Amino acid sequence: MPTNILSHPIVNAQLSKLRQSSTTPKEFREGISHISFILGIESTRTLEEESFSGRSPVGPFTGTVIKPRIGLTPILRAGLGMTDALLTIFPSAPVYHLGLFREKVTLQPVEYYSKLPPSPPVDQVFLLDPLLATGGTACAALAMILDWGISIKNVKLLCVLASQKGLSHVQAEYPELEVIWVAGVDETLTAEGIIDPGLGDTGDRLFNTLRP
């Protein structure tokens, strides 16, 4: 399972701004959205296309549409910061929210919400979570999606920042996952399971709920 790390000056500059503690919530939301849009564009290069015949004001042409039905599964609450950017690319995609939080002592994921319908009306899913720290939450979300009926080969995991340990965890649990797309990778993970230097608490920074 390859990991694709975006290598682009704009992404590097945006990620550096996100890291700074002086970045305002508005700037943080915009940065997460900008990087998410680029992740979305880059991760869709291999989507299957379907041809159709159409007519422009000048004459006939052969065009294409995206063949697979796409669904978005953001992990609450930080994944909401990536959703609008992906909806810009797939404006008709259904959004299936997954509620998972990491227990502070054990660092294990706890499921508290799922908007997945009884059976999947989509062919491919984009799993959205800005941070991949220990990898436990992502693995739990992937298990929910697989239990729902989507093949692991039809899931793409998009993250703004990952730890090397988190990537290794997901790769070990789901070696058949087609690809992980990230904007950056940090080597260090603290004893509390926080990426260092990381971005801090992405949900709190997105929604301006940081404690003084």
Side-chain angles (χ1 to χ4, degrees):
M1 172 184 58
T3 298
N4 285 288
I5 304 173
L6 295 183
S7 179
H8 196 289
I10 298 298
V11 173
N12 296 340
Q14 288 277 1
L15 187 57
S16 296
K17 187 170 184 178
L18 290 176
R19 291 187 188 276
Q20 296 184 63
S21 57
S22 59
T23 298
T24 67
K26 178 179 182 295
E27 293 169 332
F28 194 84
R29 287 191 294 271
E30 291 172 346
I32 291 289
S33 182
H34 291 163
I35 292 177
S36 299
F37 181 79
I38 298 172
L39 283 167
I41 292 295
E42 290 296 320
S43 65
T44 52
R45 286 181 178 271
T46 59
L47 280 182
E48 187 178 357
E49 298 175 273
E50 195 169 54
S51 298
F52 72 92
S53 297
R55 187 173 185 86
S56 79
V58 180
F61 72 95
T62 300
T64 62
V65 294
I66 301 301
K67 185 175 182 179
R69 299 168 297 172
I70 303 297
L72 307 178
T73 53
I75 298 178
L76 298 175
R77 64 180 167 153
L80 295 175
M82 303 178 70
T83 306
D84 283 349
L86 270 294
L87 283 173
T88 302
I89 303 170
F90 301 110
S92 299
V95 179
Y96 306 116
H97 299 97
L98 302 179
L100 292 157
F101 71 89
R102 192 172 62 182
E103 206 279 324
K104 291 184 178 180
V105 177
T106 65
L107 302 183
Q108 295 303 305
V110 178
E111 178 187 340
Y112 67 90
Y113 182 79
S114 173
K115 193 61 177 176
L116 298 175
S119 59
V122 295
D123 304 308
Q124 192 164 20
V125 165
F126 286 75
L127 179 59
L128 311 177
D129 195 6
L131 291 185
L132 182 66
T134 65
T137 300
C139 285
L142 286 167
M144 294 169 69
I145 293 169
L146 266 63
D147 288 344
W148 185 39
I150 295 291
S151 167
I152 190 65
K153 296 180 180 180
N154 291 325
V155 181
K156 291 180 184 289
L157 174 58
L158 274 57
C159 305
V160 173
L161 184 67
S163 76
Q164 189 57 59
K165 183 176 181 180
L167 287 173
S168 298
H169 183 182
V170 175
Q171 289 167 343
E173 289 284 334
Y174 294 99
E176 293 184 355
L177 180 65
E178 179 190 355
V179 73
I180 301 176
W181 285 85
V182 298
V185 179
D186 286 352
E187 293 295 327
T188 306
L189 197 64
T190 71
E192 294 77 25
I194 298 171
I195 302 176
D196 183 12
L199 306 177
D201 190 311
T202 307
D204 282 337
R205 296 190 71 188
L206 279 166
F207 299 108
N208 196 20
T209 53
L210 287 167
R211 295 180 181 179

